[in-house]
Amino acid sequence: MRLFEAIIDANHRALAGDQHAGLHPAEFEDELPIIALTCIDPRLNPLMPAVLGVPQDQFIWLRNAGNIITGPLSSTMRSLALACAIKGGKEIAIIGHTDCQVGKTTTAQLIDRLRELGIERHLLPDNVNEYFGTFASERQNVIKAADLVRHSPVIGPKIPVHGLMVDIHTGKLEWLVNGYQALDTMGSRWNEVVRSAGQTVDAFKSLTDFKIGEMKFPETKIGETVTKTEDWLSKTLHEMEIKQPQPAAEPTPAVPPKIPLPPPFRPRIHVLRDKRR
Ligand SMILES: [Zn+2]
């Protein structure tokens, strides 16, 4: 059984009342840690990574409003790529959730809310929908995001990319996109796939100055990546004038400070029996 097969199995068994349902992380050493992209909805805080059965320290959690991927080279995609390359993430899961407000807010409502915040319509991009990547169907949004990640030239052919939905009330997982299947069928077609993704990339050239086939990155440290040639040029010129001193790295405290937490919120409690002694 592969990791996400085991995750779905354990999740469904736990919901059916099996108190011993769970993962044995030691069996999946080669497939952990996983990387998850979820919405910013705070109701997800107590659910993740508990509903997956994955230990906290094997769970790399990325979030944005609506778990939206806006393009093959978007900032979220770059974080996913670095989560694989630097943090050793082995599999990616785009996890949408039921009752997502990003999906429920219409473009007209969004424009109204922004106006209430003092942001006038003429200051926004023409296509507000496209700019924020807002969607009407949560499931379609997850499928689209998984597809964009799968075909992104910065993710590569070795990482399974899954698409899931989580029920915000019960924690039940639904597997929409099986990343193992795509990986198996893609195999030798990878170059072709990347070439077609490259055509998509061309459409983003004006935004990113990133050209597939001639990947020339300015020599900057990760974390200060610059996307526009103008930015890079002005930065370089600035650095020629002032040699910036490197700030000393803060030592990591050995023990994080302990903050007392309220009892965990459980979305659904099946049976309440007084077991107190
Ligand atoms: Zn949401």
Side-chain angles (χ1 to χ4, degrees):
M1 204 184 268
R2 301 178 82 167
L3 176 61
F4 270 82
E5 291 162 357
I7 285 173
I8 300 292
D9 181 61
N11 175 270
H12 291 183
R13 284 210 320 238
L15 276 160
D18 180 352
Q19 302 204 346
H20 303 289
L23 281 190
H24 301 284
E27 291 173 18
F28 297 101
E29 265 177 4
D30 297 339
E31 293 161 272
L32 292 167
I34 61 161
I35 304 156
L37 171 66
T38 78
C39 185
I40 53 171
D41 194 315
R43 292 175 294 171
L44 290 169
N45 298 5
L47 293 181
M48 299 288 162
V51 297
L52 298 158
V54 171
Q56 297 262 7
D57 62 355
Q58 301 295 326
F59 186 71
I60 302 170
W61 197 354
L62 276 75
R63 304 179 80 161
N64 70 29
N67 44 273
I68 293 166
I69 301 267
T70 51
L73 298 167
S74 67
S75 72
T76 301
M77 195 74 83
R78 294 171 207 194
S79 283
L80 288 171
L82 294 183
C84 295
I86 294 177
K87 299 303 289 178
K90 303 291 194 326
E91 303 198 7
I92 294 172
I94 312 297
I95 309 178
H97 68 97
T98 58
D99 193 37
C100 184
Q101 299 309 304
V102 177
K104 287 187 164 181
T105 306
T106 66
T107 306
Q109 287 169 330
L110 176 61
I111 290 169
D112 283 349
R113 303 263 178 86
L114 289 165
R115 189 177 291 117
E116 285 164 18
L117 294 171
I119 304 151
E120 293 301 327
R121 177 67 187 92
H122 70 275
L123 296 173
L124 295 166
D126 286 344
N127 194 336
V128 170
N129 240 3
E130 201 176 302
Y131 176 70
F132 287 106
T134 46
F135 53 86
S137 159
E138 287 142 3
R139 301 162 71 89
Q140 283 305 317
N141 176 54
V142 168
I143 292 166
K144 181 188 164 194
D147 192 58
L148 275 166
V149 177
R150 174 68 291 149
H151 297 115
S152 170
V154 295
I155 299 300
K158 295 182 180 174
I159 305 285
V161 182
H162 307 284
L164 293 91
M165 282 289 288
V166 63
D167 186 310
I168 201 102
H169 301 297
T170 65
K172 184 176 185 173
L173 292 172
E174 185 188 350
W175 203 357
L176 297 181
V177 180
N178 183 325
Y180 303 127
Q181 285 170 0
L183 211 62
D184 294 342
T185 55
M186 199 164 53
S188 55
R189 291 198 305 115
W190 175 244
N191 287 334
E192 190 190 312
V193 168
V194 167
R195 218 178 354 261
S196 73
Q199 287 158 10
T200 321
V201 169
D202 280 348
F204 285 82
K205 244 192 276 182
S206 60
L207 287 174
T208 63
D209 279 319
F210 180 106
K211 287 181 189 174
I212 194 90
E214 46 171 286
M215 290 198 202
K216 284 182 193 159
F217 294 99
E219 281 188 42
T220 46
K221 286 194 196 100
I222 288 159
E224 51 179 67
T225 311
V226 278
T227 51
K228 292 207 169 194
T229 314
E230 307 92 89
D231 293 347
W232 176 73
L233 258 178
S234 70
K235 187 168 178 292
T236 308
L237 288 171
H238 182 68
E239 274 174 355
M240 282 163 69
E241 288 167 33
I242 312 153
K243 198 76 192 161
Q244 290 164 334
Q246 282 291 106
E250 286 277 321
T252 317
V255 182
K258 280 212 167 69
I259 299 158
L261 291 171
F265 165 78
R266 291 274 173 263
R268 177 180 282 184
I269 298 159
H270 298 282
V271 187
L272 264 183
R273 287 206 183 99
D274 193 0
K275 283 185 179 171
R276 265 173 274 177
R277 276 163 278 187

